[in-house]
Amino acid sequence: EKKIVQGNDLRFDLHLGYPRGTPQPGAVEHFCYPVDVTTVGAPPGQYTFMMTLDGGDRQFGFCRTLIQPDGYQTLIIMTRYPWFSVFTPLLEALEVYSGRGQDVMERILDSAVEACRDSFPRPGQQFRAILERATTATPEKTLFLTRPNDDSTPLADAEPDFYMLFKALSVPAIMAVFRALLSECRIIMISEDLVRLSTCMYSICSLVFPFAWQNIFVPIIPEMFLDYCTAPMPFIVGVHTSLMPQVERIPGIEDEVVMVNLDTNEVTTETVNSCLQGVEPSYNYAKLGTGPEAFDQGHACMMIEFDVGTYTIEANLIMESKVTDQKPSNNLVSMEKQVRNNLPVISSLDLVTQGD
């Protein structure tokens, strides 16, 4: 697939041909170039996207972009299997041999497909693709590929991919995203690096294994599909930094979506005092009232370690000095909790103050 830049015009020349006669997935070119290269610059060397086809099947697209005199050429492998350790070196090899013509590239792919057809590789098992056949003067040149252990981390190759995730986000930030996933929140992950974005998206979803994320999952979302961010159901979507101004203009997006910035190690939600903001002993609070920065309700979360014993926990509403409290009798609520050894307890207090 080639994207030719002529001034501000973008033209797609599609060359999809393996196996020959394979129909083109709809809108695949937009996933290959999810951002405007005339303003953002050339796509990275290699990145991964995912599409859901009309029948509901997920297809993973492994892309490798080459810079050509007349634009960009992208090699794509579309597959049902998110095997990064297989398709990354295979694409690198195809790039090396791309100058020898499509027939040579097809022969390499044929050899890899035949190896899997004879005996489909088990997790951790090797198979090979023949790059150059032996001749009287040269030996056979082979690329050995290893199927990842996708029975334990189905969307990521553990060693390289989790390293990138933990390099981008701190442990508290990862735990915040992990809680959001288990709570089936709506999550947007942001980065200016498409490689980091797609890799961390797959890695974070693998953390919930043996569970699986069954909702909307778009590792890199093209500009034309930003409406997915308005979906009422849970989703996790990867957005390039250049597209965030359009996302931020969506009405109510800041109040309902967990934002994860992979470039700045920030996990934020505009929901007032959401527990996703952290579990430090001190808690966040909101101004209550009717002013421009005030809310009519707020939530405070805290995580505290107690010794064994019985404790009284209070929630107290404190009015600012410039405000006259007309009904101080309903400003305090308390409860008694018994703490036993090594037993975590989740409790809540509701303080409703009306008529003030």
Side-chain angles (χ1 to χ4, degrees):
E1 176 179 340
K2 189 175 293 184
K3 188 170 190 178
I4 299 178
V5 180
Q6 299 173 330
N8 292 326
D9 296 327
L10 301 179
R11 180 166 60 87
F12 296 99
D13 292 336
L14 302 181
H15 306 284
L16 300 175
Y18 182 87
R20 293 185 182 276
T22 301
Q24 171 195 339
V28 65
E29 66 273 14
H30 295 284
F31 284 88
C32 293
Y33 299 96
V35 296
D36 187 351
V37 297
T38 60
T39 57
V40 178
Q46 188 154 324
Y47 51 100
T48 309
F49 64 86
M50 194 208 72
M51 298 177 61
T52 301
L53 303 183
D54 293 338
D57 295 330
R58 288 182 172 181
Q59 287 278 311
F60 300 90
F62 292 85
C63 300
R64 190 165 184 85
T65 300
L66 316 178
I67 299 178
Q68 304 290 1
D70 57 350
Y72 306 109
Q73 184 180 31
T74 301
L75 306 176
I76 316 162
I77 295 180
M78 298 292 295
T79 173
R80 291 179 295 169
Y81 306 105
W83 295 350
F84 291 83
S85 59
V86 169
F87 298 113
T88 297
L90 184 56
L91 276 173
E92 292 173 352
L94 291 175
E95 177 186 2
V96 172
Y97 288 89
S98 61
R100 302 189 185 184
Q102 186 170 341
D103 291 341
V104 174
M105 299 170 65
E106 287 185 353
R107 188 165 61 245
I108 295 173
L109 292 172
D110 280 336
S111 66
V113 171
E114 287 298 325
C116 293
R117 184 179 291 125
D118 294 340
S119 177
F120 197 77
R122 299 183 300 275
Q125 183 179 359
Q126 274 192 340
F127 60 101
R128 67 175 188 166
I130 300 174
L131 304 181
E132 296 181 19
R133 299 193 180 277
T135 65
T136 55
T138 59
E140 181 180 82
K141 192 171 182 179
T142 303
L143 174 66
F144 287 97
L145 305 167
T146 304
R147 174 180 171 177
N149 291 315
D150 51 349
D151 53 348
S152 59
T153 54
L155 283 178
D157 297 347
E159 183 177 347
D161 297 341
F162 286 118
Y163 171 78
M164 185 174 290
L165 173 65
F166 280 85
K167 185 179 180 180
L169 296 178
S170 63
V171 173
I174 291 175
M175 291 306 299
V177 182
F178 183 71
R179 290 194 298 271
L181 282 171
L182 294 183
S183 302
E184 293 194 316
C185 296
R186 299 195 292 164
I187 304 169
I188 291 178
M189 300 185 75
I190 309 158
S191 179
E192 63 181 4
D193 186 336
L194 293 179
V195 178
R196 180 186 302 126
L197 183 60
S198 62
T199 302
C200 291
M201 287 278 291
Y202 289 114
S203 300
I204 199 72
C205 283
S206 290
L207 291 179
V208 302
F209 184 84
F211 303 106
W213 180 260
Q214 299 290 344
N215 302 293
I216 295 175
F217 176 68
V218 187
I220 299 176
I221 192 166
E223 183 177 1
M224 69 175 298
F225 294 116
L226 285 179
D227 286 347
Y228 274 65
C229 296
T230 65
M233 67 283 292
F235 62 72
I236 176 168
V237 169
V239 178
H240 189 270
T241 304
S242 65
L243 301 179
M244 280 307 296
Q246 299 180 50
V247 174
E248 291 168 352
R249 288 195 292 268
I250 298 175
I253 191 72
E254 294 182 347
D255 298 330
E256 302 172 351
V257 175
V258 177
M259 300 286 188
V260 184
N261 194 316
L262 298 170
D263 301 330
T264 60
N265 186 31
E266 293 179 338
V267 180
T268 58
T269 170
E270 295 301 322
T271 302
V272 181
N273 296 320
S274 169
C275 294
L276 294 175
Q277 292 183 352
V279 291
E280 296 81 4
S282 60
Y283 59 86
N284 298 314
Y285 62 92
K287 294 180 180 180
L288 303 180
T290 58
E293 297 182 358
F295 299 86
D296 59 359
Q297 62 179 347
H299 310 276
C301 297
M302 54 186 172
M303 177 177 176
I304 304 177
E305 183 176 339
F306 292 103
D307 293 327
V308 175
T310 302
Y311 297 86
T312 300
I313 301 174
E314 296 181 347
N316 189 14
L317 176 65
I318 301 175
M319 309 295 287
E320 293 183 355
S321 58
K322 63 182 180 181
V323 178
T324 301
D325 191 351
Q326 301 295 330
K327 194 175 181 182
S329 60
N330 62 358
N331 289 359
L332 177 68
V333 64
S334 65
M335 70 176 177
E336 190 174 89
K337 295 298 296 186
Q338 185 177 11
V339 179
R340 298 178 180 177
N341 192 29
N342 295 326
L343 291 179
V345 177
I346 299 176
S347 299
S348 65
L349 279 171
D350 291 332
L351 173 59
V352 180
T353 172
Q354 297 176 340
D356 291 333

